[in-house]
Amino acid sequence: MNKVLLGLIASGAILSSSQALAAAFQLAEQNVSGLGRAYAGEASAADDASVVARNPALMGKLSGTQLSVAAMYVQPDVSLTGTSTNNGIPASALNDNSIAPSAIIPAIYATHKYNDQWSIGAGIYSQFGLSTEFDKDYVAGQIAGETEIKTVNLGISAAYQIDEQWSVAFGINEVYADAKIVRNLGATTTGLPASTQAVHLEGDDYGFGWNLGVAYQIDENNLIGFHYRSETDITFDGHFSNDLPAAMGGLNGASLPGSVDVTLPAIAEISGSHKLNQETSLHYSVLWTGWSSFDELKAIIGTSQSAFTKEENFSNSLRFSVGADYQLSEYVKLRAGMAYDESPADENLLSISIPDTDRTWYSFGAEYTLPNQATLDFGISLLRGKTQDFIETDKAQSEWGFRSKGHAMIFGLQYNHKF
């Protein structure tokens, strides 16, 4: 294999890594009280201090000072079955039973009501995250490897109660993002091991955005809420390297400056909460995510400012959810909900780095009242994704056919305290 072909492999791996940074890696898991309802009513249900994340205009519904601490354990089950190749390698060599590791998503929030008009709140949580990992010697290493994105959102908001019906809020968000992308050479005719790193890119950055919330109390039993979160621009500045020998056009382990520009999409949500009687409340939400901001991605590698551009063609997506609360007793509240999550990915550009698909949520939860003005929330969600068939082509023109299945379970625990 000559230098030109190796250069194409390295360039293509960079681009597919950039695509991994742009796919649907949005997280819904900001609290556990909402998890039990499949996150229905998040912009209208004033459960606890976690309203800072989904609609801070609800902070005025909370008395005194409140604290919420949550942890959610995500257990993905994402598998691949090889269906075809064009290079003589058996399709069964592509089989992988688990490409997404489990993760814990923490969150902490605090709110304080100063008077009848003003409330403030702060939260530390995550709205975007991703992790897929293949064996280093995976035959399709140029499109697989390791992809990891972590974000931490620090949000501060203030809410103002205009009158008995209307409240508004405004907040500022600081987002820290960290990314790691590794692509291996995979099966080639170069004589190099399949585990040879063709791309290793790590970087991080801080970005800033804003959010706006509105809540309207129709009457004592009905409330509607709206929340909008702006786009956040992130430039992952870091280092690029590979282990390809210099004689074949590689860096032989040397490191160059590298960066990838990403825009985390805007998010808008409208919710309603309706109290049917003393025991039962219904909730719904429609959440819009502006993934169309990913029309293309650019990667800049090295001091020579070499630029790579790739069309992504993502579409805006919607998430629909309905749920209910039932006060079983003085100490126990039960929750349940369902949701349908649209994938923004173009069906012609699917990738095993992020095998995204439409998902259906089935959720259950409970809240238990503890002594001394404290409560404990439990939640569980089962996510079922569609089976998809697609073919991915690397820069060596090897075609890899896959059938992907993606499911997950989420378990959550949250402690709330009123001071």
Side-chain angles (χ1 to χ4, degrees), residues 124-128 150-154 174-178:
I124 301 174
Y125 52 97
S126 179
Q127 285 193 302
F128 298 92
K150 299 177 181 178
T151 67
V152 179
N153 191 103
L154 171 61
E174 180 182 15
V175 180
Y176 170 75
D178 180 272

Side-chain angles (χ1 to χ4, degrees), residues 25-30 54 74 105 126-130 151:
F25 51 92
Q26 183 178 5
L27 300 175
E29 298 85 0
Q30 277 89 55
R54 300 293 282 264
V74 182
I105 304 174
S126 179
Q127 285 193 302
F128 298 92
L130 163 72
T151 67

Side-chain angles (χ1 to χ4, degrees), residues 1-3 6 244-252:
M1 186 177 290
N2 58 30
K3 293 182 181 180
L6 273 176
L244 301 175
M248 301 178 72
L251 297 176
N252 201 27

Side-chain angles (χ1 to χ4, degrees), residues 10 54 86 110 116 144 152 160 162 190 213 223 227-228 245 261 280 295 329 350 360 364 376 379 381 387 389 396:
R54 300 293 282 264
N86 70 342
D116 290 340
V152 179
Y160 181 73
I162 299 174
T190 62
L223 188 147
H227 185 235
Y228 177 83
D261 291 331
T280 308
D295 53 352
S329 68
L350 295 178
T360 303
F364 308 91
L376 196 63
S381 284
T387 298
D389 293 286

Side-chain angles (χ1 to χ4, degrees), residues 391-403:
I391 295 176
E392 230 181 319
T393 304
D394 62 28
K395 287 298 179 179
Q397 297 307 307
S398 286
E399 293 183 357
W400 311 96
F402 299 95
R403 174 168 294 166

